Amino acid sequence: MSQIASVTTKKLLNVLATSPGVPEAVAALISADSLVLPAISVPQIVGQNVAADVAEKSISSKYPLIYVYCSKITNAQREKFRNFSGDAEMVVEARVSQDRLDGIESHLHAYVDAITQVLNAKRGDWGDGVFYTGGYEVSFAGVKHGGRNFIQIARVSFALEISAD
């Protein structure tokens, strides 16, 4: 398996975008909790590692957005006769922007809940030697100026185990 970072990013995009993925999880949260929350569609889930301020200047952004990327790969050679046997550290960034501070954090929390629900449901073999064993870490950044006026970003990070020839 060549290009570990690209392959794992595509696999994660597939997990988050295909049914039942994040759009369905957000819709379920809206109906179950009577939230007033913008829905998310598949085109808003992007496989790219780009800073929010750079993305705003170069592409038209329709918030909320979810960015998916591989931040690091480690070939630990756990299986001695494989070309690659190690980990790929993945990041899913949820970005919420709106013109008022009211509710921005609760919206971000709801999107993170949807992402983690999908990840919890998709534990196991993702095919082609890619395995998700569960577990993740979530970090929330503070609100800052950007996007439609204010922007807040949360990062869900976790490791995928890779075993490839």
Side-chain angles (χ1 to χ4, degrees):
M1 180 189 298
S2 63
Q3 301 179 3
I4 301 295
S6 296
V7 170
T8 54
T9 299
K10 287 177 187 171
K11 291 240 180 237
L12 180 53
L13 274 170
N14 188 42
V15 163
L16 296 176
T18 58
S19 187
V22 173
E24 290 82 6
V26 168
L29 285 172
I30 291 170
S31 66
D33 297 337
S34 301
L35 293 175
V36 178
L37 184 69
I40 193 161
S41 62
V42 173
Q44 291 169 280
I45 304 172
V46 181
Q48 194 171 30
N49 184 2
V50 61
D53 56 341
V54 174
E56 289 171 7
K57 292 176 184 174
S58 59
I59 46 179
S60 66
S61 302
K62 181 182 179 219
Y63 289 96
L65 288 166
I66 296 176
Y67 281 86
V68 176
Y69 57 91
C70 178
S71 64
K72 177 180 168 183
I73 58 175
T74 304
N75 189 355
Q77 285 292 281
R78 286 188 280 251
E79 300 174 64
K80 297 298 179 199
F81 298 104
R82 295 233 182 232
N83 287 333
F84 189 96
S85 61
D87 297 322
E89 291 189 24
M90 306 303 294
V91 176
V92 180
E93 281 187 0
R95 299 178 183 179
V96 175
S97 181
Q98 54 192 42
D99 59 353
R100 298 177 45 181
L101 281 174
D102 299 339
I104 192 168
E105 193 166 21
S106 62
H107 287 176
L108 184 64
H109 290 174
Y111 293 118
V112 168
D113 284 346
I115 292 165
T116 56
Q117 285 176 15
V118 171
L119 289 174
N120 287 333
K122 302 285 182 147
R123 288 183 191 154
D125 188 357
W126 288 5
D128 299 323
V130 178
F131 302 90
Y132 175 57
T133 59
Y136 47 82
E137 181 178 293
V138 180
S139 59
F140 296 93
V143 178
K144 60 184 187 177
H145 184 68
R148 294 187 187 135
N149 197 14
F150 299 105
I151 188 169
Q152 189 172 19
I153 300 172
R155 292 175 50 128
V156 179
S157 53
F158 58 93
L160 292 175
E161 293 182 7
I162 313 296
S163 178
D165 288 328

